[in-house]
Amino acid sequence: MNPRLAAIAGRLKGKVFSLPDDPAVIGREATATFSLPDPSVSRRHSTVERDGDTFVISDLGSLNGTFVNDVPVKRRTLRHGDRLRIGDSQFLFLLHDDDEELSNSSEVKFDERQLTSGATMQMTFNDALYLMARDLSALMKVSTTINAIRGLEELEKKLLELLFEVVPAERGAILLADGPRTEGETSFNSVFGLDRKSGPGTAVKVSRTIAGQVFEQATSLLVNDPTNAAEPSSESLMETLPVSVLCVPLIMVDRTLGVIYLETSEPGVKFDRDHLQLVTAIAAITAVAIENARHIEWLENENQRLRADMKIEHNMVGESRQVKQVFQFIAKVAPTDSTVLIQGESGTGKELVARAIHQNSRRADKSFMALNCAALSESLLESELFGHEKGAFTGAINQKKGRLEVADGGTVFLDEIGELPTPLQVKLLRVLQQREFERVGGTRTIKVDIRLIAATNRDLEEAITKGHFRQDLYYRLNVVSLEMPALRDRAEDIPLLASYFASKYGERCNRKVVGISAEAQKLLVSYDWPGNVRELENALERAVVLGTTERILPEDLPEAVLEREPTTPSPEIRYHDAVAQTKREIILSAMDQAKNNYTEAAKLLGVHPNYLHRLMRNLNLREQLKR
């Protein structure tokens, strides 16, 4: 196991850091284990520490949050391939396991000695072109074989095996780089080595001097009987040097991708000009295949990342006890086909849970059809749900399949099920019992294989008592049920959700948002959010659109949030305290003149009575009036 963080964005991009056994601190301060000189990063932003055989990342109360796969977290166990975002920097968490043992590559070690020799031969790419015809059969075999392989590692292994057939090399390596040589040293970010006799188990040594020279000059090089320029008389060193080294560049149009490095230590066996010409020609026809394989792997990785991001879009954000119970519920019910009833206030994320259940079920590759039962009239709702035949009613000029029929094999989500008209409740009950129905105006019975998930913000048991909802349908729907927690009951998730929405709408609006100020966070946490997560999301979108700085400030938040009296007054928000106090005095004066009559007080203030009720609730004035 070799745990490490690979920087893929930010000032440290391209660097790889091994994780120590002791907790590693990530932050802006110079003494941090991983120091990020970024103003959007806190002095001590987060830690990554070992917990048995796993690693855990913990946020240290940073203002701008710690993100794992674009989801803000307080504490999270890391999995291989997780993407961490801290400020403007992004890292991949890599943890070698069984995949490392399955690699076909030998370990590649760079030899730092300066190898020189009097028997040196160089060849440019153009010098080798006219010689290709002589070895046409070998080149055709290489081209046909290589161009049929997609995976980069498999391609590199096959290329070295083919080279071993035409060149008397004992060992070989393919070294690939992302860019030109910098600061006097070429950095090869991809290496693959192979020993002809021992296979992947034996390390392959590569002269960094020769490989760097060939890469930089884009010229093939053959060195026979190399010596160590630093200690030419050292017998022990001479014994470890190869007899012959051949290194050629991999050139893609006008760009050097890397080099092919071959060597042999067998006495009496040396590479010659013919070998140099042949390997140079092979490199010329395989460079395109190698570049294509690298590009395909990048596209596949990017596709997987985007798919993961799409799934995150439909998951809840939070780490409170209530949210973890929701996650456990999803994990338990998703593999089944049981009907699910999700209850809770508006804006708590009932549809997100329904989508998560669908995505983690065996029906994930089939349709997910959502329908709001409160958004349509009874006739339109019936047509949308069950479909209709041509001529079933005025305007039905064509046959139409309903949501139930389109979703065959998938999942149907009925939101606001408590608003379903009574006649349609009878038809839906039949669907749940028999999995069959008829289109509007039709006589043919249609059978469907669907999973039904329903949601409501109404008390269905009370609706049954009043005769607004069928009891038998309720029992059919309430096979397994979930009560979604209100946002005010999981206030510890508000900073995480706020950071997530700020980041989301910052990207969507093409505006840099590095975080939320401490004063704004206090206001967000102290507000009771009657509209739950949906209201919080709208508030953060508004703040991103109307804000003028890189941080979301109190004045960017909606008035309702600012009116709320903070549970712990802070001297840092004196302006908003003063505004709220002025509002209190005005309202109390109006209520006193109206002798506590809400309607009359609203007239005096020139506002709607409902708005006055909301103001008094937010400013905690009701208790004060009772005294």
Side-chain angles (χ1 to χ4, degrees), residues 597-612:
N597 185 302
Y598 282 91
T599 304
E600 291 299 320
K603 288 181 180 178
L604 289 173
L605 294 169
V607 300
H608 194 278
N610 290 343
Y611 181 63
L612 177 59

Side-chain angles (χ1 to χ4, degrees), residues 408-439:
D408 187 28
T411 303
V412 174
F413 172 63
L414 298 181
D415 199 6
E416 304 296 350
I417 191 70
E419 306 300 326
L420 191 68
T422 304
L424 297 188
Q425 292 180 27
V426 178
K427 297 188 70 173
L428 181 61
L429 179 62
R430 182 189 174 197
V431 173
L432 290 173
Q433 290 175 330
Q434 308 295 334
R435 291 298 192 269
E436 62 183 29
F437 63 92
E438 290 86 34
R439 299 191 190 105

Side-chain angles (χ1 to χ4, degrees), residues 418-546:
E419 306 300 326
L420 191 68
T422 304
L424 297 188
Q425 292 180 27
V426 178
K427 297 188 70 173
L428 181 61
L429 179 62
R430 182 189 174 197
V431 173
L432 290 173
Q433 290 175 330
Q434 308 295 334
R435 291 298 192 269
E436 62 183 29
F437 63 92
E438 290 86 34
R439 299 191 190 105
V440 177
T443 57
R444 183 172 67 89
T445 299
I446 299 171
K447 289 188 172 292
V448 289
D449 171 25
I450 61 166
R451 180 183 195 168
L452 186 72
I453 302 177
T456 181
N457 61 2
R458 293 183 58 184
D459 186 339
L460 293 185
E461 293 185 353
E462 182 181 346
I464 291 171
T465 304
K466 294 181 178 180
H468 297 157
F469 202 82
R470 292 180 62 96
Q471 188 175 42
D472 48 2
L473 176 59
Y474 172 71
Y475 290 143
R476 281 289 179 180
L477 291 172
N478 194 30
V479 177
V480 288
S481 63
L482 170 68
E483 182 74 28
M484 289 295 295
L487 185 56
R488 61 182 172 275
D489 296 330
R490 55 184 187 105
E492 61 265 42
D493 288 333
I494 291 176
L496 295 176
L497 284 160
S499 296
Y500 173 72
F501 291 134
S503 175
K504 172 182 175 181
Y505 287 106
E507 292 181 8
R508 188 170 294 182
C509 299
N510 195 27
R511 180 172 166 249
K512 185 176 182 181
V513 178
V514 299
I516 303 172
S517 70
E519 298 88 349
Q521 282 201 14
K522 290 178 182 177
L523 290 170
L524 292 173
V525 172
S526 65
Y527 185 58
D528 59 2
W529 299 106
N532 292 294
V533 179
R534 184 181 294 122
E535 184 184 6
L536 175 63
E537 181 174 6
N538 293 339
L540 267 297
E541 182 179 7
R542 174 189 185 278
V544 169
V545 173
L546 299 180

Side-chain angles (χ1 to χ4, degrees), residues 16-43:
V16 179
F17 304 94
S18 295
L19 287 172
D21 291 334
D22 297 329
V25 177
I26 303 174
R28 195 176 69 248
E29 65 181 12
T31 58
T33 312
F34 305 123
S35 181
L36 300 176
D38 181 347
S40 62
V41 176
S42 299
R43 288 179 60 255

Side-chain angles (χ1 to χ4, degrees), residues 364-392:
D365 58 341
K366 302 295 183 180
S367 298
F368 177 89
M369 303 299 297
L371 184 63
N372 190 318
C373 299
L376 302 171
S377 64
E378 180 178 338
S379 58
L380 287 176
L381 183 59
E382 183 178 23
S383 175
E384 281 294 314
L385 196 56
F386 301 101
H388 62 253
E389 298 290 352
K390 181 179 180 181

